[in-house]
C-alpha cells in the first residue's frame, strides 16, 4: 500500500477485510517481499513530489516488471498513466493510456453513481467520483473495464496493472482488491 | 442514478487530503510555490493569520478576484474562508466554485450565536474545534471535515497540541463507557446523542480531522501527526519563514514521514528561521481566535 499521501487507510481497511496483510510503503525498502501494490486516491502532484524525493520510481517500475499486480484509484490512475493530458510528465508509466486530470470539473461536480463492471460480475459497483480523472485514449493492449453511460472510460486493465477513476475503497467495494490479491496469489504460486 | 454533492463526495474529498499539508496563500504566485512544494490543497485568503492579528480590524472573506486568480493558477483543490455564521459569504464562495469552505474563527465572526447551516450547501465545509463537543456540533450542522483550531498566527504549536489531545482523549473516554452512560456524556459534551454513540463505536470522528493553528516547523507537523492528526494546515508558518519554498517542502516531507526521525532530521536541515512565534501568555484572552465559535 503506497502510503505517501491520500486515502490509504481506506484501502488498508478494504485489503484487511478480504484477509490480505497490507504494509505501508513510504521508502523503496518497504517494497521488499510484497505481492502487489495499491496506489490510493489523493493529490497526484503531492505523490509525484514524494515519489521523486525518495527515489521510489525505479524500484516501483522494477517491482511491476516482476509481474506483481498494481492497482491505482483516482490520483493512482494519474500516477500510472503513460501520458497526462496537458503535458505533465508521467510518473510511473505502466498503463498505455492518456489520462485527463479533473476531467469532470471541480469539487461541485463530484458525484456518485452505479456502474456496471462486467469483469467483476453482474452486481454493479457503487462508484464515488471525486475531482476524478478519465481515460481519453487507450493503447491496443489495454482492456476497458468500465465506462460511464456517455462512453467515457473510467476503469482499465493492462496485464496486471489496473486503474479506476473512482473510489471503490470509499464504498465498501472490495472486488477490485480481491482481483489484486488473486493475481498476487497466482504469481506466488 | 447519478447524484452530485453527496455526503460521500463532500467527506470523500477530505479523505483524499489526508496525510497532506494545506497551505495558506495570498497570491497566485504563493499558490504555485505551495503546489510545487507538494501541498495537497491551498487556502486562498487576503492576509495570513499573523498579519490579521497584527493589523486588527474586521477580517472578512477575500476578494473573489483574488480567489479565482488562485483557482486558475493551480490544479490542486482550493479552499477559502467565510466568517462564522456569514452564510452569504459562503453562498458567494460556492458560486465561485471553490472546492471547500472554511467557516473560520480566523475571520471576525458575523453571528455570535449561530454557525452556518452547512447541509444547505453543495460545497463541503471544514470547521474549527477546540474539543470533541464543539467538533460534533459542527458536524451536526453539516461540516464534512474538522480541524482543531490551535491559535492561528502565533507560530506556537502549544494550543494545537492541547486541543488535539483533548479531542482524542475524549474519544477514548467514550469508547470505555457503557451504552447507558453515553446519554449523560452527550449532555455534557453538548452534542447530539447519535453522533456521540457513533464516535464511541468507531473510536474516531465521523469525518477527517486535521490540525491547524501554530504549526511552523517540520517537527511541529510530525508531532501532531504522531499524536493522531490526519493532516495539517499551515497558515503563517510558510510564507512568514525565511525560505518559504524550502520550508513548505520540508513540512510536506515531515507530514508523510512523521514517524521516521532520521528523515525528519534530514528534512529539517538548513531551513533558515521559521516564523517568529508568540508566547501564549502574552496574548490577552479577548484576542485569542480559538475562543471564537461555540
Amino acid at each position: 500500500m503506497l502510503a505517501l499521501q491520500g486515502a490509504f487507510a481506506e484501502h488498508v481497511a478494504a485489503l484487511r477485510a478480504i484477509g490480505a496483510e497490507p504494509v505501508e510503503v513510504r521508502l523503496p525498502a518497504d517494497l521488499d517481499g510484497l505481492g502487489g501494490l495499491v496506489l490510493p486516491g489523493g493529490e497526484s502532484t503531492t505523490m509525484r513530489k514524494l515519489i521523486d524525493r525518495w527515489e521510489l520510481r525505479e524500484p516501483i517500475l522494477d517491482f511491476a516488471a516482476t509481474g506483481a499486480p498494481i492497482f491505482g484509484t483516482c490520483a493512482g490512475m494519474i500516477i500510472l498513466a503513460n501520458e497526462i493530458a496537458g503535458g505533465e510528465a508521467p510518473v510511473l508509466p505502466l498503463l498505455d493510456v492518456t489520462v485527463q486530470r479533473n476531467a469532470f470539473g471541480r469539487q461541485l461536480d463530484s458525484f456518485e453513481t452505479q456502474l456496471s463492471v462486467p469483469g467483476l460480475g453482474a452486481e454493479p459497483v457503487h462508484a464515488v467520483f471525486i475531482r476524478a480523472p478519465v481515460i481519453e485514449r487507450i493503447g491496443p493492449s489495454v482492456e476497458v473495464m468500465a465506462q460511464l453511460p456517455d462512453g467515457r472510460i473510467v476503469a482499465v486493465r493492462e496485464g496486471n496493472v489496473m486503474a479506476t477513476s473512482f473510489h471503490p475503497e470509499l464504498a465498501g467495494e472490495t472486488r477490485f482488491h480481491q482481483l489484486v490479491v488473486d493475481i498476487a496469489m497466482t504469481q506466488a504460486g | 442514478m447519478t447524484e452530485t454533492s453527496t455526503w460521500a463526495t463532500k467527506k470523500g474529498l477530505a479523505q483524499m487530503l489526508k496525510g497532506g499539508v494545506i497551505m495558506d496563500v495570498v497570491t497566485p504566485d504563493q499558490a504555485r510555490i505551495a503546489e510545487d512544494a507538494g501541498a495537497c490543497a491551498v487556502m486562498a485568503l487576503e492576509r495570513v493569520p499573523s498579519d490579521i492579528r497584527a493589523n486588527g480590524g474586521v477580517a472578512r472573506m477575500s476578494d473573489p478576484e483574488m480567489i479565482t486568480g488562485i483557482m486558475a493558477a493551480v490544479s490542486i483543490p482550493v479552499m477559502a474562508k467565510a466568517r462564522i455564521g456569514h452564510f452569504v459569504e459562503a453562498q458567494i464562495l460556492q458560486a465561485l466554485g471553490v472546492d471547500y469552505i472554511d467557516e473560520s474563527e480566523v475571520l471576525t465572526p458575523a453571528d455570535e450565536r449561530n454557525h452556518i447551516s452547512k447541509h444547505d450547501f453543495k460545497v463541503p465545509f471544514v470547521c474549527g474545534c477546540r474539543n470533541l463537543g464543539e467538533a460534533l456540533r459542527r458536524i451536526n450542522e453539516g461540516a464534512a471535515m474538522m480541524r482543531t483550531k490551535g491559535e492561528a498566527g502565533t507560530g506556537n504549536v502549544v494550543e494545537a497540541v492541547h486541543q488535539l489531545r483533548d479531542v482524542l482523549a475524549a474519544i477514548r473516554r467514550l469508547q470505555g463507557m457503557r451504552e447507558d452512560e453515553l446519554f449523560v456524556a452527550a449532555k455534557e459534551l453538548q452534542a447530539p446523542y447519535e453522533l456521540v454513540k457513533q464516535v464511541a463505536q468507531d473510536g474516531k470522528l465521523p469525518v477527517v480531522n486535521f490540525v491547524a493553528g501554530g504549526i511552523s516547523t517540520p517537527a511541529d507537523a510530525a508531532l501532531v501527526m504522531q499524536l493522531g492528526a490526519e493532516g495539517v494546515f499551515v497558515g503563517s508558518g510558510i510564507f512568514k519563514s525565511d525560505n518559504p519554498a524550502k520550508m513548505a517542502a520540508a513540512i510536506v516531507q515531515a507530514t508523510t514521514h512523521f514517524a521516521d526521525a532520521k528523515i525528519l532530521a534530514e528534512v529539517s536541515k538548513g531551513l533558515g528561521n521559521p516564523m517568529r512565534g508568540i508566547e501564549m501568555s502574552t496574548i490577552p484572552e479577548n484576542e485569542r481566535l480559538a475562543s471564537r465559535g461555540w
Side-chain angles (χ1 to χ4, degrees):
Chain A
M1 186 68 237
L2 192 68
L4 298 171
Q5 189 270 326
F8 51 85
E10 289 77 356
H11 278 288
V12 164
L15 288 164
R16 288 220 173 95
I18 57 169
E21 292 168 29
V23 171
E24 293 184 1
V25 173
R26 292 186 175 82
L27 295 171
D30 299 332
L31 288 164
D32 291 349
L34 299 187
L37 184 67
V38 178
L39 284 68
E43 279 308 311
S44 61
T45 55
T46 304
M47 286 187 226
R48 170 198 295 277
K49 298 285 162 199
L50 290 153
I51 286 170
D52 284 348
R53 175 69 174 80
W54 303 101
E55 296 174 352
L56 277 155
R57 189 181 300 236
E58 290 306 317
I60 294 176
L61 293 175
D62 291 347
F63 179 69
T66 67
I70 314 278
F71 174 39
T73 59
C74 195
M77 174 190 260
I78 298 164
I79 299 282
L80 292 173
N82 273 2
E83 193 182 359
I84 303 172
E88 275 179 72
V91 188
L92 301 169
L94 290 167
L95 276 175
D96 185 12
V97 300
T98 304
V99 71
Q100 168 78 51
R101 290 182 62 200
N102 301 333
F104 299 91
R106 306 193 69 95
Q107 170 62 14
L108 287 170
D109 306 296
S110 292
F111 63 100
E112 318 181 41
T113 192
Q114 295 290 108
L115 200 61
S116 160
V117 186
L120 296 181
E123 178 78 14
V125 167
H126 185 78
V128 184
F129 290 80
I130 297 172
R131 287 173 49 97
V134 297
I135 303 271
E136 286 190 333
R137 174 199 66 85
I138 57 167
S141 53
V142 176
E143 171 198 345
V144 174
M145 292 184 79
Q147 287 169 284
L148 289 171
D150 63 9
R152 282 188 284 185
I153 300 170
V154 293
V156 290
R157 177 173 176 177
E158 182 179 11
N160 290 341
V161 184
M162 259 191 320
T164 62
S165 303
F166 52 89
H167 295 282
E169 78 284 6
L170 296 189
E173 169 63 65
T174 56
R175 284 174 290 172
F176 288 99
H177 299 86
Q178 188 63 54
L179 206 50
V180 172
V181 171
D182 290 346
I183 298 169
M185 299 297 276
T186 315
Q187 294 281 331
Chain B
M1 256 296 280
T2 296
E3 256 189 298
T4 58
S5 298
T6 59
W7 181 242
T9 64
K10 288 176 167 181
K11 189 179 133 174
L13 179 56
Q15 287 171 279
M16 297 309 135
L17 301 174
K18 285 194 297 181
V21 183
I22 301 170
M23 303 183 190
D24 278 3
V25 297
V26 301
T27 63
D29 279 343
Q30 287 190 355
R32 278 186 284 264
I33 292 170
E35 186 177 44
D36 282 344
C40 67
V42 291
M43 176 74 71
L45 71 177
E46 222 146 48
R47 285 174 283 167
V48 294
S50 65
D51 289 336
I52 291 175
R53 193 177 279 287
N55 292 4
V58 173
R60 310 179 178 91
M61 175 188 78
S62 299
D63 183 338
E65 193 171 316
M66 189 277 284
I67 296 170
T68 49
I70 288 171
M71 287 165 62
V74 294
S75 65
I76 55 179
V78 176
M79 303 184 164
K81 289 182 192 288
R83 283 180 265 177
I84 289 174
H86 205 314
F87 52 84
V88 173
E89 284 187 349
Q91 290 164 2
I92 292 170
L93 293 174
Q94 175 168 284
L96 295 177
V98 301
D99 297 296
Y100 241 92
I101 294 176
D102 184 359
E103 185 182 19
S104 178
E105 72 285 356
V106 169
L107 305 183
T108 311
D111 187 324
E112 52 195 17
R113 284 182 65 77
N114 307 291
H115 282 251
I116 297 170
S117 178
K118 292 166 274 286
H119 285 298
D120 298 346
F121 286 80
K122 293 178 86 60
V123 63
F125 281 76
V126 53
C127 284
C129 68
R130 280 165 303 174
N131 52 54
L132 181 59
E134 202 174 351
L136 296 180
R137 289 193 291 278
R138 296 295 85 77
I139 293 166
N140 195 43
E141 295 157 1
M145 177 180 185
M146 292 305 306
R147 54 174 178 78
T148 48
K149 294 174 182 173
E151 186 57 33
T154 61
N156 188 339
V157 78
V158 65
E159 287 299 303
V161 168
H162 172 125
Q163 294 164 13
L164 177 63
R165 279 189 183 274
D166 264 13
V167 169
L168 298 177
I171 292 174
R172 286 192 297 270
R173 277 196 298 277
L174 288 184
Q175 283 181 284
M177 286 182 190
R178 284 164 50 101
E179 212 176 317
D180 56 5
E181 292 166 343
L182 293 175
F183 295 101
V184 176
K187 187 190 85 178
E188 287 168 357
L189 287 167
Q190 300 176 48
Y193 169 73
E194 285 306 323
L195 284 174
V196 169
K197 191 175 157 195
Q198 189 184 343
V199 169
Q201 272 167 5
D202 300 346
K204 63 191 290 294
L205 287 178
V207 301
V208 166
N209 186 33
F210 271 44
V211 161
I215 310 275
S216 46
T217 66
D220 287 350
L223 173 64
V224 296
M225 290 298 289
Q226 285 196 28
L227 283 171
E230 295 187 289
V232 298
F233 282 85
V234 185
S236 323
I238 287 167
F239 289 99
K240 291 289 173 188
S241 71
D242 277 1
N243 188 338
K246 223 172 157 184
M247 182 63 83
I251 293 178
V252 168
Q253 298 297 336
T255 303
T256 291
H257 297 283
F258 64 87
D260 189 328
K262 271 191 188 152
I263 289 183
L264 295 176
E266 177 71 30
V267 303
S268 300
K269 282 179 189 164
L271 299 177
N273 286 322
M275 73 177 281
R276 191 185 150 72
I278 308 174
E279 219 291 294
M280 291 308 299
S281 60
T282 64
I283 307 174
E285 203 59 44
N286 64 359
E287 288 179 18
R288 296 198 182 180
L289 305 178
S291 58
R292 296 168 168 177
W294 26 88

